[in-house]
Amino acid sequence: MINLETHLPALQVLVPMLLAPLVILLRPRGLAWAATAAVSLMAFAIAVSLTMGVMGGGLYSYEMGSWPAPYGIALQVDAFSVLVLLVITAASSIALLACKSSLDSEIEATRQPLFYAAWLLVVAGLCGIVVAADAFNIFVFMEISSLASYVLVAGGPDRRALPAVFKYLIMGTIGATFYLIGIGLIYMMTGTLNLADMELRIHEVADQRPILVAAGFITIGLALKAAVFPLHVWLPNAYTYAPNAVTVFLAACATKVALYVLMRFDFVVFQQNLVGHEIQFAAFLMPLAVLAILIGSAVAIFEPNLKRLFAYSSVAQIGYILLGASLVSMMGLTAGIIHIFNHALAKGAIFLAVACLATRLTHLNFKHLAGAARQMPWTMGALVLGGLSLIGVPGTAGFISKWYLVMAALERGPLGVFLILVIIAGSLMALVYIWRIVETAYFQAPGAQVNAQISGEAPLPMLVITWLTALSSLYFGLVPSVPLWLSSAAAESLLGHLR
Amino acid sequence: MTAESAILLSLITPVAGAVLIILAARINDNAREAATLTTAVALIYSVWSLLPVLYSGGRPAVRVAEVLPGIDIAFKVEPLGMLFAALASGLWLVNSLYSIGYMRGNKEKNQTRFYVMFAISLAATMGIAFSANLFTLFLFYEMLTLSTYPLVSHKGDAKTVRSARVYLGILISASIGLFLPAIIWTYSVAGTGDFTSGGILSGKMSGPEVGLLLGLFVFGAAKAAVMPVHRWLPAAMVAPTPVSALLHAVAVVKAGVFTITKVIVYIFGVDFLFSEPSGSWLFYAAAFTIVAASIVALKQQNLKRLLAYSTIAQLSYVVMAAAILKPLAEIGAAIHMVAHAFGKITLFFAAGAIYTVSKKTELHQLRGIGRRMPVTMTAFTIGALSMIGVPPTGGFVSKWFILAGAFQSDNYMALATIIASTVLNAAYFLPIIYLAWFQKENVPPPREHGEAPFAAVLALSITAALTIAFFLFNGPVLELEEQLVRGMTP
């Protein structure tokens, strides 16, 4: 009798991965979408079961084909993994369920099966990265998800997506290659690719140059994938020209997975073994995080295109996650990890609202946005709610992350005061760009040269899911117990490796 | 009804009322006005039902949810909050009466949105009044800022939107940039943000940090309009007058000084702050605001802007009294919240009444208007006398207590400030009274008019009467606030 629960980690990856090719065969209209949405929801259900298992005090270790580690492929699911899995599968499901009409209008009917197959491969790849317990499998899944996501980003009708995807492809491949070089070096020195095994074996060779070089390559490679400032330059255009549903999905989870790997690698493999590494880690990433917050938000203030504005906002928010991680403390890590969750909710809601706007507006810039709130009050309402979470207004999920971040910074004395000023500056700048949008949509009259006849609200299913996402941002701002438990457990386990 | 359910009901009633107003508006305007009035009466009932509990020394509390470990949404009623809630809820009913007269008299658009946001603002005010800790206070404080924004920008034209942007910008920036860090700092130092008798910071903090934290709170709570975070108040005068009357004379501004007073009494602790020299700057900042705002008021030609600057000065009376850090002055601070509320709301009601019937907004246009609008101008006169602090108005009572507190601590600076500001108040109010009553109209108005619509006149008569009544019957309020200062060193 097969006990399904023990196989869940493998199923999390296999379900989307094996069903992806089948989606290609689904020619009838709408069937590919339905199948993809169903698979995505199945993946979400698996993630939820894994969450419940982990919260009940479990750590899933799985060996593919029962080959023992370190020879076989091992999977591991703990609190941190489960949090990111929830984000990935929920983002995918929400984007698919909400944006059917948007996807139908942007992707030609004949290409849809291929597009949706790629979507499922992205889900499979991202989930695979999260559950894999050895470095090479992480690379394999990273490549699967990246290549499939290039297909997604280029899938829309906007021709400008092609140069954007090209830049994304080049930079993503460089990132993956750096990562591969890094783990290659480690393999040469330690003879293993399994993360847990690496943690033990690297100790003997920790002071040798190849390991230090490997640490550098891996960090830079993953930083490229995670759009850490200044390696973020592929992100704005990729998010802007992708189909709207793709932006919802990728903005919520793509870069977060790379951050997940970065944190795992760093805390599990490098921190305890390389002398002074936690200081190097902090010293390297903290300034980049600060710059990301300040510069990302500043550029967003002046950006006329809505999608690109929020893409730069994402760069800033990634800075918050990194800032938390670079504080290397219980509170700091909890803050960074919970922000992975909270930002996904906020940005998901915002990009869904933008997708709603896109169903009625011809262009997504401020000129066309003027007066939109009159015809689309619900859409704008959801956008504002998501925006409040970005700013970090109490009562929203964004506030919880900011609270923890500030508390973590307070533990650092004078440096902490500077960091608090940066965090506050980031919030105020977010206030400015959200405010620009509110003022344009609510208080300006629709321009004469623009298509002033916005014919009513977005389609109802889209609105409903957008509002559900926005309301969850509120819900998890008032009842953050589950993400908080997961983030604290994750932080504890990451710091536990620092013995 | 238990005290706990009364607390929750006070929060839910205005929100439910907002929904009711939306539904009633579908029927007709009268149904909508009835919904507003009914909600206001229901709110008075649930809030005032807590008074007997408070008088007998009870401090009902209810915890709603725990958001983060150590941080929960909780409510607790104590004398200061009770006073604020009772004041705001009582005056909401009167203000709703006035709003009906004003909004209909001016044929304003979007009236449903107006009444709905008003109800939500009252819910936020109740949340602020009854909050048991800094987090809950902050939550509802921000809600108040956001819910009053549509009210301030009601007219919707370019100038109004620009001013409303100043309003929102200053309030939110101060909140997120100053108030929130202060709250987080407090939580991190004291381990809690609960309002506790005697304060939570003594022993945990000393030296210049105390002064710095106090500064973050005082300027972060920009609703108290201590200079230089005061510019939002004159900017908010673009709102319809009922908004200026209740919100910017009673609810919003009182939320600001209430926050500062509550923080001084229940977070710092009066005795602790008195013993820390770094906190003494607050007194001077408040005194400066009083005098500076009064001087600026002297130069104003627009009636509402003059009242705005007068409000800034009067708010700093409360802050200055709280900063004297002596029991009698603390009582004076609490009482001045009430006295100023009655007086200022009367003045704004009168200003709005004048605008409704004659579209007059500038001081020089008020020549001889006393003859056309005797009831309105009598009320205005009473309100002005209360601002100056002349018996038999309520303003006299609060000034008495503040002066007594100043004497108690040999604070001659406070005495000088109060005298100076009294003179300045007289200097800008008396000429208006003289102009209205003792000068003849030299330019006939655009169209003949008499008194304002009945609802408006009724409202301003009630508040004017309350101003005088407060002079005569302030015992109950005193009794309540005496509980506040129990335990403080005289």
Side-chain angles (χ1 to χ4, degrees):
Chain A
M1 158 126 164
I2 302 178
N3 183 355
L4 199 61
E5 204 196 333
T6 51
H7 296 286
L8 280 178
L11 285 174
Q12 178 79 82
V13 182
L14 289 175
V15 163
M17 191 154 86
L18 295 178
L19 290 174
L22 295 180
V23 167
I24 301 179
L25 303 171
L26 296 173
R27 296 283 151 190
R29 286 171 56 100
L31 202 53
W33 172 85
T36 312
V39 173
S40 189
L41 282 170
M42 257 195 279
F44 181 62
I46 296 175
V48 169
S49 327
L50 283 170
T51 310
M52 297 202 300
V54 166
M55 287 189 77
L59 167 83
Y60 289 87
S61 286
Y62 188 84
E63 291 150 1
M64 292 294 286
S66 299
W67 289 96
Y71 308 108
I73 298 173
L75 306 177
Q76 184 168 297
V77 175
D78 65 356
F80 195 8
S81 329
V82 130
L83 186 84
V84 183
L85 282 175
L86 281 175
V87 169
I88 298 169
T89 49
S92 164
S93 312
I94 289 175
L96 283 169
L97 287 172
C99 297
K100 174 166 199 301
S101 50
S102 167
L103 284 165
D104 279 340
S105 65
E106 287 191 288
I107 324 273
E108 301 161 19
T110 48
R111 288 233 191 106
Q112 281 192 6
L114 292 168
F115 178 85
Y116 287 119
W119 187 293
L120 283 178
L121 283 176
V122 174
V123 175
L126 291 175
C127 290
I129 297 176
V130 172
V131 304
D134 76 275
F136 187 69
N137 266 291
I138 292 179
F139 172 74
V140 169
F141 285 118
M142 203 188 300
E143 285 297 273
I144 293 177
S145 62
S146 298
L147 292 170
S149 65
Y150 305 148
V151 173
L152 289 184
V153 171
D158 196 335
R159 297 330 260 147
R160 292 171 294 183
L162 294 177
V165 165
F166 188 67
K167 189 191 260 181
Y168 182 19
L169 187 153
I170 297 292
M171 292 188 75
T173 309
I174 294 177
T177 311
F178 274 28
Y179 174 78
L180 189 61
I181 294 175
I183 62 174
L185 284 169
I186 294 183
Y187 183 65
M188 275 200 307
M189 300 300 295
T190 61
T192 179
L193 288 167
N194 182 295
L195 283 177
D197 214 25
M198 244 187 246
E199 187 184 349
L200 300 168
R201 294 206 197 176
I202 226 173
H203 195 66
E204 296 122 40
V205 289
D207 49 351
Q208 301 204 16
R209 197 162 291 168
I211 300 293
L212 302 172
V213 172
F217 268 111
I218 290 178
T219 309
I220 301 276
L222 291 171
L224 252 171
K225 287 262 176 205
V228 173
F229 184 91
L231 302 169
H232 65 286
V233 289
W234 57 267
L235 193 149
N237 279 344
Y239 282 14
T240 308
Y241 299 122
N244 295 312
V246 172
T247 313
V248 174
F249 177 33
L250 292 182
C253 63
T255 52
K256 315 299 185 312
V257 175
L259 286 170
Y260 166 88
V261 182
L262 182 63
M263 285 200 263
R264 267 257 198 257
F265 241 99
D266 228 275
F267 282 90
V268 171
V269 177
F270 292 131
Q271 291 242 1
Q272 47 154 339
N273 287 313
L274 294 160
V275 174
H277 183 82
E278 60 270 19
I279 303 174
Q280 291 168 356
F281 181 70
F284 177 61
L285 285 176
M286 205 184 286
L288 290 183
V290 167
L291 285 174
I293 295 172
L294 294 175
I295 298 183
S297 307
V299 175
I301 292 178
F302 295 103
E303 181 56 56
N305 178 298
L306 266 184
K307 285 178 85 173
R308 198 177 286 114
L309 187 154
F310 285 117
Y312 277 107
S313 162
S314 289
V315 172
Q317 301 287 324
I318 290 166
Y320 282 116
I321 299 175
L322 263 183
L323 189 61
S326 66
L327 285 169
V328 191
S329 65
M330 185 68 194
M331 278 246 157
L333 274 175
T334 309
I337 296 174
I338 207 175
H339 201 55
I340 291 180
F341 184 82
N342 293 334
H343 176 242
L345 277 177
K347 259 315 152 38
I350 287 179
F351 276 117
L352 274 173
V354 169
C356 291
L357 284 172
T359 60
R360 297 282 181 245
L361 297 173
T362 48
H363 293 84
L364 284 171
N365 54 34
F366 278 90
K367 239 195 318 211
H368 289 76
L369 187 64
R374 219 148 297 171
Q375 295 287 341
M376 307 182 76
W378 289 96
T379 306
M380 287 308 303
L383 195 94
V384 169
L385 263 182
L388 289 179
S389 190
L390 279 186
I391 298 170
V393 172
T396 61
F399 174 72
I400 306 284
S401 343
K402 293 245 162 88
W403 177 273
Y404 270 88
L405 210 50
V406 172
M407 290 293 228
L410 276 173
E411 291 167 1
R412 287 299 204 92
L415 171 65
V417 175
F418 169 70
L419 290 177
I420 294 178
L421 288 175
V422 168
I423 296 169
I424 293 177
S427 287
L428 289 175
M429 287 197 271
L431 178 64
V432 172
Y433 58 71
I434 297 290
W435 184 248
R436 265 187 84 206
I437 297 174
V438 166
E439 198 163 287
T440 312
Y442 284 89
F443 293 110
Q444 285 183 18
Q449 75 276 31
V450 155
N451 174 22
Q453 284 91 344
I454 300 176
S455 47
E457 264 290 7
L460 190 62
M462 216 170 186
L463 264 185
V464 166
I465 298 190
T466 308
W467 263 92
L468 275 176
T469 318
L471 287 174
S472 357
S473 205
L474 270 184
Y475 175 73
F476 285 111
L478 293 168
V479 190
S481 41
V482 169
L484 201 55
W485 188 96
L486 288 171
S487 316
S488 326
E492 219 178 297
S493 94
L494 283 179
L495 285 174
H497 289 279
L498 288 186
R499 289 287 164 263
Chain B
M1 182 164 53
T2 65
E4 287 76 26
S5 49
I7 298 175
L8 291 174
L9 210 59
S10 306
L11 292 156
I12 298 174
T13 306
V15 178
V19 177
L20 194 68
I21 294 171
I22 298 179
L23 295 172
R26 305 234 174 126
I27 307 174
N28 62 36
D29 288 352
N30 290 332
R32 178 189 64 204
E33 301 348 353
T36 304
L37 293 172
T38 316
T39 314
V41 169
L43 184 65
I44 292 181
Y45 177 67
S46 65
V47 170
W48 287 56
S49 73
L50 288 164
L51 278 170
V53 182
L54 265 278
Y55 274 111
S56 60
R59 300 281 180 267
V62 60
R63 203 175 85 147
V64 171
E66 192 184 29
V67 177
L68 291 171
I71 300 169
D72 41 356
I73 299 181
F75 301 102
K76 184 168 166 200
V77 186
E78 44 75 48
L80 202 60
M82 182 76 247
L83 187 68
F84 184 33
L87 185 69
S89 54
L91 286 176
W92 184 28
L93 180 61
V94 182
N95 188 280
S96 301
L97 271 171
Y98 180 81
S99 301
I100 296 172
Y102 181 94
M103 299 300 272
R104 290 185 179 198
N106 281 294
K107 304 202 186 11
E108 290 272 358
K109 302 191 298 275
N110 291 318
Q111 289 192 32
T112 306
R113 178 180 84 190
F114 175 87
Y115 289 110
V116 167
M117 295 318 295
F118 228 107
I120 296 186
S121 304
L122 259 295
T125 310
M126 294 300 124
I128 296 175
F130 290 149
S131 55
N133 56 49
L134 282 171
F135 178 75
T136 313
L137 182 86
F138 189 70
L139 203 59
F140 286 100
Y141 189 91
E142 291 313 291
M143 192 173 138
L144 187 62
T145 306
L146 293 173
S147 65
T148 49
Y149 176 80
L151 292 168
V152 172
S153 61
H154 184 91
K155 264 213 190 91
D157 61 293
K159 177 172 170 294
T160 307
V161 170
R162 246 190 325 231
S163 299
R165 194 193 300 169
V166 173
Y167 175 79
L168 196 67
I170 296 184
L171 285 180
I172 290 203
S173 306
S175 279
I176 297 188
L178 299 169
F179 196 14
L180 188 58
I183 294 178
I184 298 178
W185 191 357
T186 307
Y187 269 95
S188 120
V189 163
T192 174
D194 290 346
F195 294 122
T196 318
S197 249
I200 55 174
L201 288 175
S202 97
K204 303 253 175 41
M205 213 186 214
S206 60
E209 294 185 326
V210 177
L212 182 59
L213 183 63
L214 185 65
L216 288 177
F217 273 118
V218 168
F219 296 112
K223 292 194 172 95
V226 178
M227 287 185 171
V229 290
H230 65 288
R231 289 280 290 120
W232 62 269
L233 231 180
M237 291 297 116
V238 293
T241 306
V243 178
S244 309
L246 187 69
L247 298 182
H248 302 122
V250 181
V252 172
V253 296
K254 293 296 181 299
V257 292
F258 169 79
T259 302
I260 293 182
T261 312
K262 198 142 183 189
V263 162
I264 289 181
V265 174
Y266 292 108
I267 296 286
F268 284 92
V270 168
D271 291 330
F272 169 66
L273 203 54
F274 191 72
S275 65
E276 284 286 342
S278 62
S280 56
W281 63 268
L282 180 59
F283 173 81
Y284 297 102
F288 173 78
T289 305
I290 294 175
V291 175
S294 304
I295 294 178
V296 177
L298 267 177
K299 302 192 306 186
Q300 296 305 315
Q301 287 305 310
N302 177 290
L303 181 57
K304 281 181 78 176
R305 277 183 83 92
L306 183 146
L307 293 177
Y309 279 101
S310 164
T311 305
I312 296 174
Q314 297 283 330
L315 290 173
S316 278
Y317 268 27
V318 178
V319 178
M320 187 180 80
I324 292 178
L325 299 170
K326 283 285 168 209
L328 278 175
E330 300 298 331
I331 296 184
I335 294 191
H336 195 62
M337 280 183 21
V338 181
H340 172 251
F342 289 151
K344 215 21 121 6
I345 204 174
T346 311
L347 286 168
F348 272 110
F349 280 171
I354 295 173
Y355 176 77
T356 306
V357 290
S358 68
K359 295 285 175 271
K360 288 182 179 173
T361 56
E362 310 299 300
L363 294 182
H364 62 86
Q365 295 170 323
L366 300 178
R367 285 180 82 98
I369 206 159
R371 229 141 289 191
R372 285 191 184 270
M373 307 178 74
V375 182
T376 304
M377 283 317 293
T378 309
F380 187 94
T381 310
I382 294 174
L385 291 176
S386 185
M387 293 296 118
I388 301 174
V390 173
T393 62
F396 176 73
V397 182
S398 50
K399 274 212 173 120
W400 179 271
F401 273 93
I402 300 176
L403 281 170
F407 271 122
Q408 220 176 23
S409 59
D410 294 325
N411 197 327
Y412 296 108
M413 183 78 181
L415 178 61
T417 311
I418 294 180
I419 293 178
S421 67
T422 306
V423 170
L424 287 166
N425 278 334
Y428 57 73
F429 275 122
L430 291 179
I432 306 178
I433 298 176
Y434 179 74
L435 203 63
W437 289 109
F438 298 108
Q439 295 271 335
K440 280 218 204 337
E441 234 176 45
N442 53 6
V443 173
R447 57 171 208 271
E448 279 299 305
H449 67 87
E451 276 290 358
F454 175 69
V457 171
L458 178 63
L460 52 87
S461 313
I462 294 177
T463 55
L466 282 170
T467 312
I468 300 191
F470 191 62
F471 174 79
L472 300 167
F473 304 111
N474 49 51
V477 178
L478 268 175
E479 201 189 310
L480 187 59
E481 297 314 308
E482 241 139 34
Q483 289 187 24
L484 180 72
V485 300
R486 227 170 271 166
M488 282 185 209
T489 340

